[in-house]
Amino acid sequence: MKLFRFLLSFAAACGGVIPASAAAAAGATAPAPETSAAREITDLRRELARHDRIYHRESAAEISDAEYDRLRQRLAELERDRTVAASSVETAAVIGDDRTGRFPTRGHRERMLSLDKVYAEPDLRAFHRRVTTALGRGDVAYVIEPKYDGLALSLTYERGELVRALTRGNGREGEEVTANALRIVGLPRKLAGGLVPDVMEVRGEVYVPLATFSEVNAAREAAGEARFATPRNLAAGTLRQADADAVAQRGLRFVAFGVGACEPAAVLPETQRAWPARFQAWGFSAIAETWTARGLDELVRAVAACGRTRGVLPFPTDGAVVKVDALAAQRELGASETAPRWAVAYKFAPEQVETRLLAIRFQVGRTGVLTPVAELVPVSLGGTKIARATLHNLSEITRRDLRIGDTVVLEKAGDVIPAIAGVNRSLRPAEAPPFPRPIACPSCYARVGPGDSDGSIRCPNRECPAQIRRRLEHFASRAAVEIAGLGPVMIETLVAEGWVKEVADLYRLSRAELLTLGHDHAKSVDRLLAAIRQSKQTEVWRVIHGLGLPQVGAAKAKELARQYGTLVAFAEHGASRVPALAEAHYQMLVADLIALGVGSAPPPVEAKWAGKTFALTGTLPTLSRAQVTAKIEAMGGKVSGSVSRNTHYVVAGDDPGTKLERAHKLDLPVIDEAELRRMLDEP
Ligand code: IVH
């Protein structure tokens, strides 16, 4: 069963096709010839290198971490069976390369390695065997830590002062993100305590706490912006963007767990378990939850105990890191090209559960795209009841050959929405026919076309009631024009009565018409009409967003509004930026909205530093106190006479006073005149 589950999920990761050699292992076909394993290895390496590129450089992912791990595990298995010389592709893939080209690169004093990964108890046993054999003794002590799921960062301290922050890069050189790192909550600019080395590279993980992740996504959703898929994407994307303020706003954190180069090395503790206290004494956040174990049995139990904390820890984790406790033993074991031999990452399997597929329904979107939704026998997974799972498009059904009555494997890894990871074919009802391709829209019964190249099918009828409802819901949502009281139930009524076919019709609704719904509704009818009337005064970007043009989210709408200023100018010239705007129905809609007076609010003056407090200390090279204050206030910022936790920036010049000391104590960003000028000039 275990093997079947693996093949099943592996098939899912490979797009439903089980590679010949994997099927052969399950006894499904004759043993695969030599060349096929070699080919699979090459294919897997190439595929993994591609996913690594997307993951490391673009802070995104095409497949879930669980699927990625399965591909990597499969590659490791194949390589174990055959002695395949390590290729450069493989090395690059294992270490990864997160350089984006957007920041200057700089070498690490000591290489930043990766960790070897294991996925099951036998692999852990093999790790323990390798360690004990190399050390020549059996009772090795280990420390087990949660594996934070973020991105690695190396901080260089010279005589206790933070001078540089580098991403891992390719392990030898990383990108310098110091300005952004300085805005990470609780990251010390200066090492505290007595034992301060001359030079030290502190290694750790930048991550976003789970609560912050939900808050950021909720705020983005309310603003009509796309959600971050995982906390890791949020952390990686934020640390590597140009705006240092966003780092502070998005609540990034840093946890220290290791040291690269260190001179003199005598300041370092001699056991791994003593590290957290040492890091805390220097002023870092360190790993608070660790387990210790002596020998294999305790190790297995400790890793399981660490696994049980998943779901209760406040930060994202994807496994446990096992480390040999004694640093002398670590030195003796050394490292391979890519990873230390004294540590290993144990990746937790994603939670899975089987359930039955009752039906596949199609939802009609705003633009007519039909999205299949699987209706399931309700099951519990990762603490939530699941009765439904989105299938992205029709080809997901055909690729997996999903059939009604099938037993499907549901999977939830991390924060991602549960997805169907595979089909248990052995439990398929004998009579289950292949799922037919829909021929008509489930809402208006219009014939649907043959499908787009990406496998999506559309209802071609713009007057389809489902499409109209979705367009109205979008237009009236908080992320767009925001019409209070116009929810899905009211929208359904307006469309069913035939009163509203396009969003502009909202502004033509008559009180008399609405009152036919029942006179006891008079009050809510008046409230709704007032809200609709009031919505005319909304900002231009909200109307542009509300139009539902393809590829125009809130951020793009804001940019377009800034560029064109008015709806009229956007209607006339906007097609050069948004080609769909040239289509007749959009042209008519925008003209209609303009005629009705929608989007008439003047564009707001954005105060870039609204809510930001500055403190000044010392004499600046060219600007007087009054000039600096005027410049900051012109941007909406405030200048305060004292330094506190609420100060955002301290501007320091020559002969600074105690304010600077206080700023360092409070870990506040300190800038000079040049930096202030740069910030003033930034758009
Ligand atoms: S120790 C020589 N401990 O996982 C590498 N790494 O996959 C020593 N990570 O690059 C790393 N939590 O960014 C270590 N408790 C932990 C960790 C951890 C997360 C990351 C780290 C590393 C990656 C390897």
Side-chain angles (χ1 to χ4, degrees):
M1 184 59 198
K2 225 172 171 187
L3 176 62
F4 170 73
R5 275 175 81 94
F6 167 65
L7 281 177
L8 192 64
S9 356
F10 181 54
C14 301
V17 184
I18 301 181
S21 47
T29 55
E34 270 288 280
T35 48
S36 126
R39 196 174 324 122
E40 197 189 335
I41 289 177
T42 317
D43 288 351
L44 276 171
R45 282 183 183 163
R46 193 172 308 131
E47 185 64 10
L48 283 160
R50 194 171 70 81
H51 290 305
D52 282 329
R53 226 171 19 247
I54 300 174
Y55 183 84
H56 288 296
R57 303 221 180 124
E58 293 160 32
S59 305
E62 213 170 72
I63 56 173
S64 75
D65 285 0
E67 282 169 3
Y68 175 90
D69 285 343
R70 277 193 290 265
L71 293 179
R72 191 154 284 298
Q73 184 183 10
R74 172 71 189 145
L75 176 61
E77 257 165 36
L78 287 169
E79 287 174 339
R80 212 176 301 136
D81 293 347
R82 301 162 45 92
T83 339
V84 182
S87 73
S88 57
V89 177
E90 186 201 1
T91 313
V94 171
I95 276 276
D97 187 349
D98 65 17
R99 288 173 300 175
T100 60
R102 295 199 294 269
F103 297 90
T105 53
R106 243 189 121 116
H108 296 294
R109 282 168 182 265
E110 192 173 299
R111 273 227 301 153
M112 281 183 92
L113 295 175
S114 184
L115 286 171
D116 283 337
K117 297 185 179 60
V118 297
Y119 301 87
E121 204 187 302
D123 304 320
L124 202 56
R125 202 173 302 139
F127 166 73
H128 175 68
R129 204 178 318 118
R130 281 198 302 276
V131 168
T132 48
T133 311
L135 293 177
R137 57 193 157 82
D139 73 330
V140 177
Y142 296 102
V143 172
I144 296 88
E145 301 170 353
K147 185 172 189 301
Y148 282 67
D149 194 13
L151 76 157
L153 193 68
S154 178
L155 305 170
T156 306
Y157 287 84
E158 286 176 9
R159 282 170 294 284
E161 297 266 357
L162 176 66
V163 293
R164 196 170 312 119
L166 300 177
T167 64
R168 183 163 65 178
N170 63 358
R172 294 186 188 282
E173 57 172 33
E175 288 187 322
E176 173 153 12
V177 290
T178 316
N180 286 353
L182 283 171
R183 307 302 308 278
I184 294 175
V185 185
L187 186 147
R189 292 163 167 259
K190 224 177 145 94
L191 298 180
L195 290 171
V196 171
D198 293 341
V199 188
M200 173 167 63
E201 291 176 312
V202 172
R203 305 275 163 85
E205 197 85 349
V206 174
Y207 69 98
V208 175
L210 292 172
T212 313
F213 175 66
S214 311
E215 281 162 24
V216 169
N217 265 346
R220 283 178 74 85
E221 215 157 51
E225 289 159 353
R227 290 170 61 92
F228 284 99
T230 65
R232 188 200 170 274
N233 288 354
L234 172 54
T238 307
L239 190 71
R240 292 186 294 193
Q241 62 168 22
D243 179 10
D245 276 348
V247 178
Q249 277 158 16
R250 296 232 182 108
L252 262 53
R253 307 268 167 145
F254 177 80
V255 60
F257 49 64
V259 163
C262 182
E263 290 158 27
V267 298
L268 303 178
E270 268 307 303
T271 58
Q272 192 68 47
R273 70 180 83 184
W275 280 100
R278 191 80 275 271
F279 281 127
Q280 273 164 1
W282 274 322
F284 292 98
S285 300
I287 298 182
E289 312 75 5
T290 63
W291 292 259
T292 50
R294 195 171 276 282
L296 183 64
D297 292 346
E298 280 185 30
L299 176 59
V300 170
R301 275 201 296 276
V303 168
C306 178
R308 281 194 298 274
T309 63
R310 202 161 47 139
V312 290
L313 291 174
F315 49 83
T317 54
D318 57 346
V321 182
V322 176
K323 300 176 179 176
V324 170
D325 189 33
L327 263 74
Q330 290 186 4
R331 284 190 288 270
E332 200 176 329
L333 288 160
S336 74
E337 258 303 286
T338 54
R341 292 201 183 85
W342 47 264
V344 78
Y346 185 101
K347 299 276 286 213
F348 302 132
E351 290 177 81
Q352 287 192 334
V353 66
E354 288 190 350
T355 189
R356 278 213 328 144
L357 177 65
L358 293 173
I360 296 177
R361 242 180 351 103
F362 285 87
Q363 266 175 359
V364 187
R366 206 166 71 210
T367 57
V369 172
L370 304 193
T371 305
V373 179
E375 305 272 352
L376 308 161
V377 172
V379 277
S380 249
L381 178 63
T384 37
K385 247 288 181 288
I386 315 282
R388 218 159 269 120
T390 348
L391 299 157
H392 298 100
N393 50 38
L394 198 65
S395 56
E396 193 169 338
I397 301 175
T398 40
R399 189 162 50 84
R400 296 184 191 283
D401 186 21
L402 281 180
R403 301 185 184 197
I404 306 304
D406 264 344
T407 296
V408 294
V409 180
L410 270 185
E411 182 177 287
K412 188 176 171 189
D415 179 80
V416 294
I417 303 149
I420 291 184
V423 183
N424 185 341
R425 295 255 162 87
S426 66
L427 295 178
R428 168 168 292 169
E431 71 284 7
F435 189 78
R437 196 180 166 286
I439 49 169
C441 166
S443 172
C444 69
Y445 309 113
R447 261 188 105 77
V448 298
D452 295 352
S453 55
D454 63 355
S456 59
I457 41 174
R458 268 168 213 280
C459 161
N461 173 19
R462 237 187 105 79
E463 296 202 6
C464 164
Q467 282 191 51
I468 299 175
R469 285 199 301 270
R470 297 286 103 75
R471 288 202 297 270
L472 289 173
E473 281 166 16
H474 172 70
F475 185 80
S477 71
R478 269 171 66 192
V481 169
E482 189 171 14
I483 304 176
L486 189 56
V489 177
M490 191 54 174
I491 287 175
E492 171 129 37
T493 309
L494 299 178
V495 176
E497 294 289 338
W499 295 333
V500 177
K501 288 203 163 59
E502 284 294 348
V503 293
D505 295 334
L506 288 172
Y507 298 95
R508 289 189 274 258
L509 280 171
S510 83
R511 185 169 191 268
E513 227 168 29
L514 286 168
L515 284 177
T516 61
L517 297 173
H519 275 275
D520 46 338
H521 286 99
K523 250 201 180 131
S524 55
V525 162
D526 287 336
R527 256 201 311 270
L528 176 64
L529 286 172
I532 293 176
R533 219 175 309 118
Q534 208 190 339
S535 75
K536 289 184 180 181
Q537 258 99 61
T538 193
E539 298 144 88
V540 171
W541 76 264
R542 291 185 168 274
V543 183
I544 296 179
H545 187 209
L547 296 174
L549 289 156
Q551 259 107 56
V552 180
K556 178 85 175 274
K558 284 180 189 167
E559 189 198 315
L560 292 166
R562 260 197 303 273
Q563 181 180 348
Y564 295 102
T566 65
L567 219 45
V568 175
F570 176 64
E572 278 174 15
H573 311 291
S576 64
R577 300 277 321 269
V578 187
L581 185 63
E583 290 168 23
H585 55 95
Y586 283 118
Q587 284 288 312
M588 283 193 302
L589 174 60
V590 182
D592 222 4
L593 289 171
I594 293 169
L596 289 158
V598 182
S600 50
V605 190
E606 261 185 54
K608 151 166 141 170
W609 286 347
K612 295 265 184 298
T613 306
F614 291 70
L616 315 176
T617 178
T619 316
L620 299 183
T622 68
L623 291 172
S624 73
R625 269 190 115 70
Q627 284 171 321
V628 177
T629 307
K631 281 185 187 295
I632 291 172
E633 285 176 355
M635 293 286 185
K638 239 179 54 190
V639 176
S640 149
S642 61
V643 171
S644 76
R645 258 178 217 294
N646 301 325
T647 310
H648 291 88
Y649 294 96
V650 176
V651 187
D654 282 345
D655 298 324
T658 51
K659 279 188 214 166
L660 185 63
E661 280 165 36
R662 191 156 161 70
H664 283 314
K665 212 174 264 156
L666 293 174
D667 243 0
L668 300 172
V670 177
I671 57 173
D672 59 8
E673 183 182 315
E675 175 69 11
L676 179 74
R677 282 182 182 277
R678 203 186 51 71
M679 286 164 59
L680 283 162
D681 286 344
E682 266 174 10

